[in-house]
Amino acid sequence: MNGMPAINNRGHTYARIQKSTKKPNRPRPSEICIRHPGEMILEFWASLFYKYRRLIKWLSLYLALAGPGIIVMIADNDAGGITTYAATGAKFGFSFIWFVILLGPIAYVVQEMTVRLGAVTKRGHAEAIFDAFGPFWGWFSLIDLGIVNFLTLVTEFIGMTAALNIFGVPPLVTVIGVSALMIAIVMYGRYWTWEKIVLLFCTLNLIYIPAALIVRPDYNQVMGGLMPAFPYGFNGEVFFFLMANIGTTIAPWMIFFQQSSVVDKGMTEKDIPFGKLDTAIGAIFTILVAVFCIILTGSLLFKPGGTDIESAADAARAIIGSQPLVGTALAIGLFDAGLLGAICISLASSWAMGEVLGWAHSINNKLSEAPMFYAFYFLSLLGAGIIVLLPGAPLVLITLFVQVIAVTLLPAALVFLIVLLNNEELMGKYKNTLFQNVLGFSIILMIIILSTLYALSVLFPEVFK
Amino acid sequence: MVQEWIGKVKEINHKYSQPRLHMTPLVKASLLALRIYLIILVMILVYKFYLVVR
């Protein structure tokens, strides 16, 4: 070749390849630079400062993007959730702490999928279902969501009215006051402001952690609750409580809410890692609150044979007599949980309706820009508030049953979610891995088996005694 | 008002009439069966609710 670069049939030069693969020469002793110790120390501090700056930049970016995951997970501990955890603690003590902890990763697996789907498609979940599966399945899902969300919204108002009733506030005043507050929060006109206000309410949800520590639980017994076991056997009541606990941790509204929230916030593919982290942190907090709530009522209300409590508000009332601070914390926490749940659930419905019906549907829109979106939001609040004010309605029973109905309908929503996440054309490199699919379908299978067992225990109660 | 809503629903049905995902009849039947099964379970729950309230 006589110094001329060799040309292969694709026109690439071998010389370039040879240059890149050539081993670097070792420096000769005369080339070794003896550095001054002061210079090395300076370099060390410079690299430390560089890492600190990078960390601060990363944290700033995370804080800007944090929100949807934490909000959806903590709002998941809504009034129905707190009622379910309080009832579980009073009925079974610490026995099902392990089960509730197990629900944390399950909730993360489901919600993480909505982050990817929202960030990649830039579409809310309702719109994504219509687009991918057509109008039949779209309407089916939307009607499902509408009914379950409305029932859940009723349970939020039940929780809030019961909580404030402890302090002597009449239900009518609570319904009007809360609706006005929720309308004001949304009408402020910016997603950013709405999100920060809601995050503030999320912080209040953590009140159960110090409240449970104040009662000084028996930590040996708490540790015993970490061991998977069914000390109360398999019967209809156990199935009912297990399902209610699943229903409080993963619910159809959460899938719709987080995906729409990710879209409204304007997150893109590059923000997915932050969205995942946000969701993971939220999952940790939601399980911490659930566990400490069970510890709280398990310590104070559980007796051998189990204690039946009517609601979290009843638990608060029972506790206020002996532990005023803890009982008050339980009541405040219940109100906050109901408020958070109501804000998120009513928005999840409004977003879904807006996406499908083509209304302007962003919190960034003013009332005049998105009148139908806000009208739907107000009307769902109004409807739920009216039901709660009906005299003689079995409110506590409604709360527990709504959780179970929500979880029974969940597999249908999960199947659509997983199918969407497996579409390469839609998701590209963000599609589900085999492991994620196995986890997803295992969750669906577990819920279907539990729902079936509960249905069988209702139809044939003597079999499960 | 009702006419307007019916028109809106027709418009949406037309807009999404060509779904992005093509499902085989077996998959469609499985999805429908799952939905129906879940609805039956919910009806059993409602029956239980009625029993408890009564």
Side-chain angles (χ1 to χ4, degrees), chain A residues 107-126:
Chain A
Y108 172 77
V109 168
V110 173
Q111 292 307 123
E112 181 270 337
M113 286 194 266
T114 68
V115 174
R116 274 185 287 142
L117 192 55
V120 173
T121 64
K122 319 281 184 296
R123 283 179 166 170
H125 198 61

Side-chain angles (χ1 to χ4, degrees), chain A residues 370-389:
Chain A
M372 294 301 285
F373 171 69
Y374 288 113
F376 188 83
Y377 178 79
F378 302 150
L379 285 175
S380 39
L381 289 180
L382 192 71
I386 287 172
I387 288 187
V388 175
L389 295 175

Side-chain angles (χ1 to χ4, degrees), chain A residues 127 130-132 134-135 137 139 141 144 356-357 397 401 404 408 412 415-416 423 425-426 451-452 454-455, chain B residues 5 8-9 12-13 16 19-21 23 28 31-32 34-35 37-39 41-42 44-45 48-49 52-53:
Chain A
E127 195 183 352
F130 267 85
D131 180 57
W137 294 109
W139 287 116
S141 303
D144 254 15
V356 174
L357 295 171
L397 207 59
F401 266 89
V404 179
T408 306
V415 166
F416 283 136
N423 186 257
E425 185 199 338
L426 196 69
S451 310
T452 307
Y454 180 65
Chain B
W5 274 99
K8 187 83 190 168
V9 170
I12 291 164
N13 288 349
Y16 296 108
R20 184 190 289 265
L21 297 184
M23 294 183 284
K28 279 184 187 172
L31 279 176
L32 191 63
L34 175 68
R35 282 276 177 181
Y37 179 64
L38 297 179
I39 289 171
L41 291 181
V42 169
I44 294 172
L45 276 172
K48 171 76 176 178
F49 180 76
V52 177
V53 170

Side-chain angles (χ1 to χ4, degrees), chain A residues 319-342:
Chain A
I319 293 169
I320 273 181
S322 56
Q323 302 247 12
L325 193 63
V326 177
T328 306
L330 190 54
I332 292 172
L334 177 63
F335 173 77
D336 179 64
L339 185 64
L340 264 177

Side-chain angles (χ1 to χ4, degrees), chain A residues 77 82 85 89 93-94 96-102 208-209 212 222 225-226 245 284-299:
Chain A
N77 284 338
I82 297 298
Y85 302 137
F94 307 134
F96 288 129
I97 288 180
W98 64 271
F99 184 76
V100 172
I101 292 174
L102 196 67
Y208 293 104
I209 299 173
V222 172
L226 297 177
N245 275 288
I284 292 168
F285 278 124
T286 196
I287 293 307
L288 273 178
V289 170
V291 167
F292 278 92
C293 192
I294 290 176
I295 291 174
L296 180 64
T297 55
S299 300

Side-chain angles (χ1 to χ4, degrees), chain A residues 109-233:
Chain A
V109 168
V110 173
Q111 292 307 123
E112 181 270 337
M113 286 194 266
T114 68
V115 174
R116 274 185 287 142
L117 192 55
V120 173
T121 64
K122 319 281 184 296
R123 283 179 166 170
H125 198 61
E127 195 183 352
I129 289 178
F130 267 85
D131 180 57
F133 300 99
F136 175 74
W137 294 109
W139 287 116
F140 217 137
S141 303
L142 196 65
I143 292 167
D144 254 15
L145 178 82
I147 294 170
V148 176
N149 274 11
F150 183 73
L151 290 172
T152 315
L153 193 57
V154 172
T155 70
E156 309 304 350
F157 273 95
I158 293 170
M160 285 187 283
T161 51
L164 290 192
N165 206 23
I166 294 172
F167 305 113
V169 180
L172 181 64
V173 175
T174 306
V175 169
I176 294 172
V178 162
S179 302
L181 177 68
M182 285 173 60
I183 289 166
I185 293 171
V186 169
M187 297 249 307
Y188 199 81
R190 298 289 302 170
Y191 177 90
W192 180 264
T193 321
W194 170 84
E195 191 179 79
K196 298 309 161 215
I197 294 171
V198 176
L199 280 171
L200 200 68
F201 288 125
C202 287
T203 316
L204 198 58
N205 198 259
L206 305 179
I207 200 167
Y208 293 104
I209 299 173
L213 294 175
I214 288 172
V215 302
R216 294 176 187 276
D218 182 337
Y219 289 105
N220 285 332
Q221 285 189 18
V222 172
M223 294 307 281
L226 297 177
M227 294 295 133
F230 291 93
Y232 296 90

